[in-house]
């Protein structure tokens, strides 16, 4: 499940980047409106941006939700860290049995 969500997360991130790069900035038609008069408004028309704006919002929300879900999965799968400061006992050392001692002792 984690791998599937990770692949989906990557695809959503690529889609979000693509949607942002496709959109035209608000000031992109400003030069054309003063020079040639091809545009009716100074900051571009709002009609063409509605679909892209809505799709960007949907993809951005899904990106953030996937981020939260993946973060929750990673946080829950971590093993609980044991504090070394809580266990103040002396570590035990292993002693060799008498049979395993080298000859001469």
């Amino acid at each position: 499940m984690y791998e599937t969500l990770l692949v989906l997360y990557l695809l959503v991130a690529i889609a979000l980047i693509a949607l942002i790069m496709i959109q035209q900035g608000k000031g992109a038609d400003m030069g054309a409106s003063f020079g040639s008069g091809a545009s009716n408004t100074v900051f571009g028309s709002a009609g063409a941006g509605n679909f892209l704006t809505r799709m960007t919002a949907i993809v951005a929300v899904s990106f953030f939700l996937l981020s939260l879900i993946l973060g929750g999965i990673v946080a829950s799968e971590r093993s609980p860290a044991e504090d070394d400061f809580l266990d103040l006992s002396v570590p035990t050392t292993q002693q060799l049995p008498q049979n395993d001692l080298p000859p001469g002792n």
Side-chain angles (χ1 to χ4, degrees):
M1 181 172 144
Y2 177 74
E3 290 83 12
T4 305
L5 286 175
L6 201 58
V7 169
L8 185 63
Y9 183 71
L10 179 66
L11 292 175
V12 168
I14 291 171
L16 185 62
I17 292 169
L19 281 172
I20 290 172
M21 295 299 286
I22 287 173
Q23 292 183 20
Q24 194 173 22
K26 289 191 180 241
D29 287 335
M30 192 165 60
S33 66
F34 289 120
S36 64
S39 177
N40 292 336
T41 61
V42 173
F43 293 108
S45 63
N50 284 339
F51 175 74
L52 289 176
T53 305
R54 287 182 186 162
M55 285 303 297
T56 304
I58 290 169
V59 172
V61 167
S62 63
F63 179 80
F64 287 120
L65 286 176
L66 280 171
S67 298
L68 290 173
I69 291 170
L70 285 171
I73 289 173
V74 168
S76 67
E77 287 182 357
R78 292 178 81 186
S79 62
E82 293 182 18
D83 288 336
D84 291 333
F85 296 109
L86 294 178
D87 184 20
L88 297 177
S89 62
V90 178
T92 59
T93 58
Q94 290 184 338
Q95 295 180 353
L96 293 175
Q98 294 296 331
N99 302 5
D100 293 340
L101 290 176
N105 288 339

